């Protein structure tokens, strides 16, 4: 396994669309797996955290309690962290709730005014943070890869450059939000 | 009588009429200066600060769209300092509003987006304000989403200068500044509005749009821009 790159990905506050776009690499996934291992990902079965990662793709914004700590932990294990998609880079749809009051938003979405909300969610689910944050507000980011989702070609360009030991350049030609 | 001024822009020696701005003189010589609030056919207000340039002998950066050419002026339109400030201006615009490209009607046809790409804005370093602006859908046909408004005042100018209605204006100061129709009434209540839709066509973002248009669904603006420019060159609507 000498010289093989270890790649991981995690999924925070996002819709999984970026991971779907990653799967759109199609046959390029085989090229990738010739030279790299996907050691941790929502797409793989492996559940133990790797000690060290070469590249980590992070989809989604920091939206729930525990996610910031998870992110810091992964940052300390990883050489190159990629903010993967618009939610990770700018907050995007996940952050659209930021100007709303959390409690009234939950009531509006899940219960009629005055209706009982069921069990206290704080005891059963991770709490929603008051402010959804893009990743760079929590950890240092090496590469920003915007797009909703980033197109497969852009993901391939980025991963391929990293495989070749180069720093991908996301410039005017490649930058696309939305 | 025309008076001619001679100046240097980016090392290029050029002559221009004393009445023209640095932006106009640069454009005539194919020197590109990024702009956002400027629109050919409308008066200039220097609202967006994207066209800032360096002028030798001035410490402060000057907006090219409202600065007239002067004899012996030495102007620089690109430098690392200008690049830094232009990106900063764009990041501040993004952090001030709620510019969620993926759900915006103007996605892929947005001047703010294009400028951000050109400036290499791969993320926004400032904290977002998450301002609680309203969305006004009281008009029969049109919507204004104040979250996406960058206060360029193109709509204010096209409504006042071209349509002659002056329905739009900007109220408030600093980060409380916002677009208002008539006497800060709902757009649907604004009786001066002729529902001509010119404000939608000049809006550089997705702040003003017609009902029935959703995401990545920009209205074709190009014909109208040409119309404005031609009318302006013929001085058909304004005595100058």
């Amino acid at each position: 396994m000498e010289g093989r790159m270890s790649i991981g990905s995690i999924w925070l506050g996002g819709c999984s669309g970026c991971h779907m776009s990653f799967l759109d690499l199609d046959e390029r996934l085989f090229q990738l797996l010739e030279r790299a291992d996907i050691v941790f990902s929502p797409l793989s079965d492996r559940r133990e955290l790797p000690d060290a990662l070469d590249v980590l793709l992070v989809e989604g914004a920091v939206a729930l309690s525990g996610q910031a700590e998870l992110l810091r932990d992964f940052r300390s294990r990883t050489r190159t962290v990629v903010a993967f998609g618009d939610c990770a880079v700018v907050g995007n749809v996940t952050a659209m709730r930021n100007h709303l009051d959390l409690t009234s938003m939950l009531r509006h979405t899940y219960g009629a005014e005055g209706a009982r909300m069921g069990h206290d969610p704080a005891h059963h689910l991770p709490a929603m943070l008051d402010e959804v944050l893009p990743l760079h507000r929590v950890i240092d980011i090496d590469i920003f890869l915007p797009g909703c989702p980033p197109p497969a070609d852009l993901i391939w360009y980025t991963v391929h450059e990293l495989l070749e030991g180069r720093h991908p350049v996301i410039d005017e030609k490649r930058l696309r939000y939305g | 009588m025309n008076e001619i001024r001679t100046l240097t822009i980016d090392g290029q020696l050029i002559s221009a009429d004393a009445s023209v701005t640095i932006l106009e003189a640069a454009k005539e010589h194919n020197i590109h200066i990024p702009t956002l609030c400027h629109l050919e056919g409308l008066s200039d207000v220097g609202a967006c600060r994207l066209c800032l340039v360096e002028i030798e002998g001035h410490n402060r950066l000057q907006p090219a769209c409202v600065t007239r050419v002067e004899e012996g002026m030495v102007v620089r339109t690109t430098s690392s300092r200008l690049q830094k400030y232009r990106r900063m201006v764009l990041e501040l615009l993004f952090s001030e509003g709620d510019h969620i490209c993926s759900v915006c009607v103007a996605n892929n046809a947005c001047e703010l987006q294009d400028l951000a790409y050109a400036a290499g804005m791969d993320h926004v370093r400032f904290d977002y304000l998450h301002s609680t602006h309203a969305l006004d859908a009281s008009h029969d046909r049109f919507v204004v989403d104040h979250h996406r408004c960058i206060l360029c005042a193109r709509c204010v100018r096209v409504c006042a200068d071209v349509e002659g209605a002056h329905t739009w204006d900007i109220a408030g100061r600093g980060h409380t500044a916002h677009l208002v129709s008539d006497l800060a009434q709902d757009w649907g209540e604004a009786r001066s509005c002729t529902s001509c839709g010119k404000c939608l066509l000049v809006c550089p973002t997705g702040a003003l749009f017609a009902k029935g248009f959703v995401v990545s669904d920009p209205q074709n603006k190009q014909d109208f821009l040409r119309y404005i420019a031609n009318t302006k060159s013929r001085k058909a609507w304004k005595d100058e």
Side-chain angles (χ1 to χ4, degrees), chain B residues 109-213:
Chain B
C110 171
E111 293 177 48
L112 182 65
Q113 213 179 26
D114 290 343
L115 285 162
Y117 299 152
M121 193 196 86
D122 63 355
H123 68 295
V124 175
R125 291 164 296 177
F126 304 111
D127 294 354
Y128 291 89
L129 282 188
H130 310 310
S131 43
T132 49
H133 292 307
L135 181 147
D136 180 355
S138 59
H139 191 281
D140 282 346
R141 289 161 50 203
F142 309 136
V143 183
V144 53
D145 183 349
H146 293 281
H147 285 113
R148 298 171 183 164
C149 175
I150 54 169
L151 302 172
C152 69
R154 279 189 189 177
C155 55
V156 176
R157 288 173 280 154
V158 81
C159 188
D161 298 352
V162 183
E163 179 62 9
H166 208 142
T167 303
W168 293 116
D169 226 318
I170 291 171
R173 295 176 67 83
H175 78 284
T176 66
H178 60 285
L179 197 62
V180 289
S181 38
D182 274 4
L183 298 169
Q185 293 152 295
D186 288 345
W187 194 357
E189 304 294 315
R191 293 183 58 189
S192 71
C193 175
T194 61
S195 302
C196 71
K198 288 187 182 70
C199 52
L200 278 64
L201 297 162
V202 298
C203 181
T205 70
L208 292 160
F209 58 98
K211 288 182 180 175
F213 290 83

Side-chain angles (χ1 to χ4, degrees), chain A residues 89 92 98-99 131 136 177, chain B residues 102 117 121-122 124 127 130:
Chain A
V89 175
N92 198 25
N98 275 349
H99 62 268
E131 186 185 7
H136 67 272
Y177 289 98
Chain B
S102 60
Y117 299 152
M121 193 196 86
D122 63 355
V124 175
D127 294 354
H130 310 310

Side-chain angles (χ1 to χ4, degrees), chain A residues 18 21-22 25 55-60 81-90 92 135-136 141-162 167-171 174-178, chain B residues 121-123:
Chain A
C18 301
S21 194
F22 182 84
L25 288 177
V55 176
L56 177 70
L57 305 172
V58 186
E59 171 181 349
V81 175
V82 182
F84 185 29
D86 274 0
C87 294
V89 175
V90 291
N92 198 25
L135 304 186
H136 67 272
I141 297 295
D142 301 297
I143 297 162
F144 293 91
L145 191 59
C148 186
D153 287 348
L154 183 61
I155 299 172
W156 179 243
Y157 162 77
T158 305
V159 170
H160 190 259
E161 288 296 287
L162 291 169
H167 191 87
V169 180
I170 314 294
D171 59 4
R174 299 193 178 88
L175 267 176
R176 289 295 174 271
Y177 289 98
Chain B
M121 193 196 86
D122 63 355
H123 68 295

Side-chain angles (χ1 to χ4, degrees), chain B residues 41-42 227-238 240:
Chain B
L42 298 179
Y227 160 75
I228 291 183
N230 291 340
T231 316
K232 169 86 173 177
S233 68
R234 285 189 277 110
K235 296 188 179 5
W237 78 70
K238 223 169 140 184
E240 286 184 309

